[in-house]
Amino acid sequence: EFYRQFRLKERSSIKEAEEYALRTLKYGTIPEKTHWRVYLELADLAKRSNKFEDARKLYSHVCELQPYANQGWLEFSKLEEECGHMNRCATILHEGLTYCKISENLLTRAIKHEEKMNNRTRARELLARLKHVGIEKVWRTVLEGALLEARAGNHLMARRVLKYLMHHVPWYGPLYLEAYRLERDLGRPVDALSIVEKGLKAIPRYGPLWFGAFRLCETLDFNDKNYDLPRTIRMFERATNSISRELVWKVHLDASQILERAALALAASNPGMTVDKALHDCRKRVAMTALSCPSNLSWKVWLAGGRMELSAGNVETARSLFLRAHKVVPEKGRIATLLECARLEEFAGDVDLARSILCKSRKEVNTDWKVWLESVLLETRDGEHVRALDLAKQALDKHSGTGRLWACLVQLRYVEGGETAQYSSLKHALRSVPKSGEVWCEGGRIHLNPFSTLFSLSEARRHLFFATRFTPQYGDGFLETLRLEILERWVLPMASCVWEAIQPLFADQVDDLERWISSLVVASVKLVRMASGGGSYEDFEGPSFDKSVVPSLRAQLEATNLDELFESSNLELRCANADPNYGSMWFKCRQAPTDTARVVLRRARWQITTDVRDNAHIYIAATIRRCGLMAAAKQEIDQVNKTVNKTKIDRNTTTPKTEDFAIKIPSIETILKSDVHEVPDRTVLLESTVSGFHFASGLVVLNEHKLLKDMPLLERKKALFGSDALFS
């Protein structure tokens, strides 16, 4: 009765609910032994009202009244964690475990918290206390321990624990899923499939295992270039006979999408086969999906069928399917069909009609940020950056809490005012959406752009750390971190060699900071060009120049196997744990939905390394400029403090003085493109077509604007539809 009345009053007013609870305690209308539950509700009200001190006192009182109930300790720890008091949270959890020794909820939370605090040893100590407890009581906590070891990269231990659990808890489906994902992410599809088969034998109606089996069979068939998909087709037939009846339509849908990918691969490998002909079996599966799916989801099936027809260039057929989807879609899904129709018209080359559809959508359904985002992206793809920027600003007037819109604005501001305008918008964005990984990633990109006056590897590291921490599902944060690691582990040592070689040549120019930095930048580019096979020693004559640096620099530039540089990096493990699922760079590097995070990251490493190698002279010049600014700032600070220290390259330390100098001193683009009459032969050091926009992201090919009409059909389809999963 208390809870019923309490919830009713809570709906009308938190204050009324609080007064009712206090009256209940005062007049003793409920047994004294349940008072702790009332105090728990009061603590929750105080927390929601931002009365954190009152909430702390109430949670503490709950734990005193009933220390053997885990709810009080759990909620108290959540409060401290949300307030940023991580050590207090750990203390509360450990104190709670002295009373609730084998509480699975409390143990699991404590283990996750210790992992978050990077204290895996303590987490393992918590798990060790379970070794004498029956597995039937603590298997969920042991599963968390296995996942902890997997996230830590201790795959052998994780595999052993999961095998043990599958033996003792064979009826729990998610257990097989975790074991299969572990093997799949490690690039062992055959082992992953054997685990799935074991799970299907124990739980034949468990849907997620069947869909995992489809992906694994597809991977194995594609690896063998069996585009008729023998393994996958057999798995489809087994699934339709075993899976829950309400999921049969999803089996047909998955089959249609896998068959479409196989048809495209078959047409690409067989010149005599057209895509339209290869899609025959796929169309049958789409029809079976439409016949068996729930009526409220049929619109998604028509959209999927329309997308399939676009692969064969059947625009009119796709248009009729999209229109059918729009007629039957429920009101809440109306936006999705309008966006698909706009993309279809853009695909067909009618950009004005696509604009009209989006304009109408913005007026009809102006509460959805996705319509605004698609409008901005359309203008960007069409090369209308000024219009895209204007739309982004309008969108943020209505949706100021959307990180992806802020990220678009920051990127587009480069057109309006370079990195200075970008940085101004970045600061504004971080005040509005401080936990948006997309926005933090744009900050990292600004500091990784070698043509930016704000180029700084240490600042890029800070921004990208927050990007991957706040939004781990955003793949671009990890790929930009990959670019950063390539620069730190490969380019920075080369820049250090160049710095040591050229710094003594211009010691007489230190008093004129701008001239000194310009001389260092130009000399660094000439030296790198000379080491890579062009140029002569004419510019570096003199006893102060060490010519032995040239062969060393050439060897580093020509290095082909860079795997050793990344052996100590944990980026691949972090990326695999996060399992990102979106981002423009991420989709560019992901060739198929079956690609794991490790596969995408390795493919990206090759592409980004190629780009960095082609532009090594530019990145080295930007690093030399930064080193010069830091050296000048340190020298000025030393003079103010009246101390004498030897100038060193400090890759981590930046001072406010360095940032002041960075804004005042021209960028390397300005230096290398300055008037040829003032500085002879300087134009050969930087091609006129290269600009800062080429380095807006880690993939140069993504930054080079290419009109949709100039793209091949499948590339155009991927650009428009490849980044939006209908059934995600």
Side-chain angles (χ1 to χ4, degrees):
E1 178 62 25
F2 164 77
Y3 280 109
R4 190 174 66 81
Q5 291 295 326
F6 182 80
R7 298 297 175 216
L8 285 172
K9 294 183 181 299
E10 187 181 17
R11 286 175 197 160
S12 58
S13 166
I14 287 180
K15 188 173 178 59
E16 282 185 29
E18 184 181 359
E19 290 173 352
Y20 173 71
L22 290 172
R23 283 199 307 272
T24 302
L25 290 170
K26 182 177 180 181
Y27 296 115
T29 55
I30 60 172
E32 188 175 346
K33 64 181 181 181
T34 61
H35 280 193
W36 67 274
R37 294 184 181 275
V38 180
Y39 282 112
L40 191 63
E41 294 294 340
L42 285 168
D44 182 59
L45 290 178
K47 175 183 169 183
R48 284 154 53 194
S49 302
N50 294 331
K51 299 175 182 177
F52 298 121
E53 284 303 322
D54 292 345
R56 281 191 184 94
K57 291 175 183 176
L58 289 164
Y59 279 131
S60 181
H61 191 50
V62 169
C63 295
E64 288 173 8
L65 288 174
Q66 182 50 281
Y68 295 100
N70 62 35
Q71 296 99 312
W73 301 107
L74 282 171
E75 295 302 325
F76 197 2
S77 68
K78 286 178 186 176
L79 171 69
E80 295 298 354
E81 185 178 35
E82 289 167 9
C83 291
H85 302 143
M86 306 300 279
N87 290 329
R88 284 190 203 171
C89 175
T91 302
I92 291 164
L93 289 168
H94 291 303
E95 188 178 349
L97 286 170
T98 60
Y99 294 97
C100 313
K101 296 185 184 298
I102 57 170
S103 166
E104 282 201 311
N105 290 336
L106 209 54
L107 268 169
T108 302
R109 179 158 179 77
I111 290 165
K112 287 182 176 179
H113 182 75
E114 294 297 346
E115 184 185 11
K116 192 179 292 185
M117 296 280 285
N118 203 25
N119 189 1
R120 293 192 182 94
T121 302
R122 180 61 184 141
R124 292 184 180 111
E125 288 173 1
L126 291 171
L127 286 163
R129 66 169 66 187
L130 304 177
K131 60 184 177 182
H132 298 303
V133 183
I135 190 65
E136 68 280 355
K137 295 181 180 178
V138 292
W139 63 268
R140 291 181 187 274
T141 307
V142 175
L143 174 58
E144 186 57 43
L147 299 180
L148 164 73
E149 296 298 347
R151 290 190 292 266
N154 192 357
H155 302 121
L156 288 175
M157 178 59 72
R159 191 177 288 124
R160 286 173 57 192
V161 176
L162 288 169
K163 185 177 179 181
Y164 174 80
L165 287 171
M166 283 187 288
H167 177 73
H168 288 279
V169 195
W171 47 265
Y172 188 60
L175 183 57
Y176 296 97
L177 275 182
E178 296 297 345
Y180 131 74
R181 285 172 185 152
L182 175 66
E183 302 299 344
R184 180 202 64 186
D185 292 345
L186 291 173
R188 299 161 54 126
V190 175
D191 293 332
L193 186 58
S194 69
I195 289 170
V196 170
E197 290 284 11
K198 186 177 179 180
L200 291 174
K201 189 175 180 180
I203 326 166
R205 296 175 67 80
Y206 187 58
L209 279 178
W210 285 109
F211 296 115
F214 300 157
R215 292 296 174 92
L216 290 171
C217 289
E218 179 188 0
T219 300
L220 292 170
D221 283 335
F222 269 69
N223 288 347
D224 296 337
K225 297 189 185 317
N226 287 332
Y227 300 130
D228 54 344
L229 304 177
R231 286 190 188 89
T232 316
I233 296 297
R234 285 196 298 270
M235 192 62 73
F236 289 148
E237 292 170 355
R238 288 173 55 193
T240 51
N241 294 326
S242 303
I243 202 168
S244 301
R245 194 171 179 180
E246 61 270 16
L247 292 177
V248 170
W249 73 275
K250 287 204 75 174
V251 173
H252 293 314
L253 179 69
D254 254 36
S256 70
Q257 293 174 334
I258 292 171
L259 287 167
E260 180 186 351
R261 292 192 286 272
L264 295 175
L266 180 63
S269 63
N270 185 356
M273 174 73 73
T274 64
V275 175
D276 194 51
K277 185 178 179 182
L279 288 173
H280 177 71
D281 290 340
C282 180
R283 292 187 178 100
K284 284 185 178 179
R285 287 286 180 171
V286 172
M288 293 166 72
T289 308
L291 290 171
S292 56
C293 82
S295 58
N296 64 317
L297 292 175
S298 63
W299 64 277
K300 288 191 174 185
V301 179
W302 301 128
L303 289 182
R307 285 186 177 190
M308 177 203 66
E309 292 297 342
L310 289 178
S311 298
N314 299 327
V315 175
E316 286 303 322
T317 307
R319 186 178 283 119
S320 65
L321 289 169
F322 280 14
L323 288 174
R324 179 180 289 191
H326 190 63
K327 288 177 182 177
V328 299
V329 66
E331 186 60 34
K332 65 178 182 180
R334 183 178 171 82
I335 300 244
T337 57
L338 286 170
L339 292 180
E340 290 289 299
C341 291
R343 289 173 187 150
L344 171 65
E345 299 306 333
E346 190 180 357
F347 178 89
D350 195 343
V351 179
D352 289 336
L353 181 54
R355 279 196 187 100
S356 300
I357 294 170
L358 290 172
C359 182
K360 182 180 178 182
S361 303
R362 292 197 301 271
K363 290 179 180 178
E364 283 188 359
V365 206
N366 58 7
T367 55
D368 198 298
W369 61 269
K370 290 182 181 178
V371 175
W372 288 95
L373 178 64
E374 189 63 31
S375 302
V376 173
L377 294 177
L378 180 145
E379 301 300 346
T380 304
R381 289 190 292 263
D382 198 40
E384 298 289 344
H385 293 102
V386 175
R387 189 182 291 178
L389 181 61
D390 183 55
L391 280 169
K393 291 176 180 177
Q394 291 181 49
L396 286 166
D397 288 339
K398 298 177 180 292
H399 307 282
S400 59
T402 305
R404 291 177 75 173
L405 288 172
W406 278 111
C408 284
L409 177 69
V410 172
Q411 201 169 71
L412 289 166
R413 284 298 302 279
Y414 186 86
V415 178
E416 191 175 54
E419 69 272 4
T420 305
Q422 279 188 296
Y423 198 65
S424 173
S425 291
L426 176 68
K427 290 191 287 187
H428 191 184
L430 290 175
R431 284 194 293 269
S432 300
V433 282
K435 288 191 175 182
S436 169
E438 295 98 332
V439 173
W440 281 105
C441 184
E442 290 305 319
R445 283 170 168 161
I446 292 170
H447 291 293
L448 284 176
N449 190 329
F451 280 6
S452 169
T453 56
L454 302 171
F455 178 83
S456 169
L457 298 186
S458 58
E459 282 298 300
R461 169 71 64 184
R462 186 174 71 88
H463 282 76
L464 292 172
F465 169 79
F466 288 123
T468 54
R469 175 59 65 91
F470 289 141
T471 315
Q473 64 271 27
Y474 183 55
D476 285 16
F478 289 100
L479 299 190
E480 291 295 353
T481 304
L482 176 62
R483 174 165 58 146
L484 172 65
E485 291 204 349
I486 291 171
L487 294 177
E488 286 181 336
R489 294 166 183 256
W490 185 36
V491 174
L492 194 57
M494 289 191 282
S496 296
C497 291
V498 172
W499 172 264
E500 295 296 334
I502 65 175
Q503 187 191 10
L505 301 178
F506 306 102
D508 58 332
Q509 299 180 14
V510 174
D511 293 337
D512 186 347
L513 181 58
E514 184 172 335
R515 183 186 171 206
W516 182 56
I517 296 292
S518 297
S519 299
L520 288 171
V521 167
V522 173
S524 68
V525 174
K526 288 183 176 180
L527 183 56
V528 174
R529 286 287 179 87
M530 182 174 65
S532 59
S536 65
Y537 286 95
E538 293 178 5
D539 296 303
F540 304 100
E541 293 295 338
S544 59
F545 177 65
D546 181 8
K547 293 183 180 179
S548 66
V549 73
V550 177
S552 172
L553 192 58
R554 182 178 294 121
Q556 293 181 73
L557 283 168
E558 294 175 353
T560 55
N561 187 6
L562 301 176
D563 290 344
E564 294 180 4
L565 293 176
F566 301 98
E567 283 181 356
S568 60
S569 172
N570 68 344
L571 179 62
E572 189 174 289
L573 180 62
R574 286 169 49 210
C575 186
N577 291 339
D579 196 16
N581 54 30
Y582 76 101
S584 56
M585 283 180 69
W586 188 261
F587 285 121
K588 187 69 177 177
C589 296
R590 193 189 73 170
Q591 293 182 353
T594 53
D595 286 346
T596 64
R598 292 176 191 269
V599 170
V600 175
L601 197 68
R602 287 168 189 165
R603 189 178 294 123
R605 192 197 320 181
W606 180 83
Q607 294 182 22
I608 295 172
T609 301
T610 301
D611 286 344
V612 171
R613 191 193 302 276
D614 292 342
N615 298 285
H617 60 293
I618 295 175
Y619 280 108
I620 289 173
T623 307
I624 293 298
R625 177 183 177 275
R626 185 70 183 180
C627 292
L629 296 173
M630 293 168 68
K634 189 174 188 303
Q635 185 179 30
E636 184 162 317
I637 291 170
D638 287 345
Q639 289 174 354
V640 171
N641 295 333
K642 296 182 179 180
T643 58
V644 180
N645 292 317
K646 184 180 178 182
T647 302
K648 297 180 180 178
I649 300 177
D650 189 338
R651 71 182 68 175
N652 296 317
T653 305
T654 57
T655 63
K657 199 69 184 173
T658 306
E659 303 308 326
D660 290 342
F661 286 158
I663 295 170
K664 295 174 184 175
I665 302 301
S667 68
I668 66 166
E669 182 179 17
T670 304
I671 293 169
L672 296 175
K673 287 186 176 179
S674 58
D675 193 341
V676 294
H677 299 296
E678 293 182 12
V679 187
D681 298 328
R682 190 166 296 178
T683 51
V684 301
L685 301 178
L686 186 68
E687 294 80 1
S688 59
T689 55
V690 178
S691 68
F693 204 71
H694 284 76
F695 303 96
S697 75
L699 291 175
V700 172
V701 68
L702 200 63
N703 305 324
E704 295 172 345
H705 180 65
K706 189 176 181 181
L707 292 174
L708 282 174
K709 65 181 181 181
D710 298 330
M711 295 180 184
L713 185 141
L714 293 179
E715 185 182 342
R716 202 185 332 153
K717 184 195 171 192
K718 185 177 179 181
L720 286 168
F721 299 96
S723 60
D724 181 28
L726 283 172
F727 289 88
S728 60

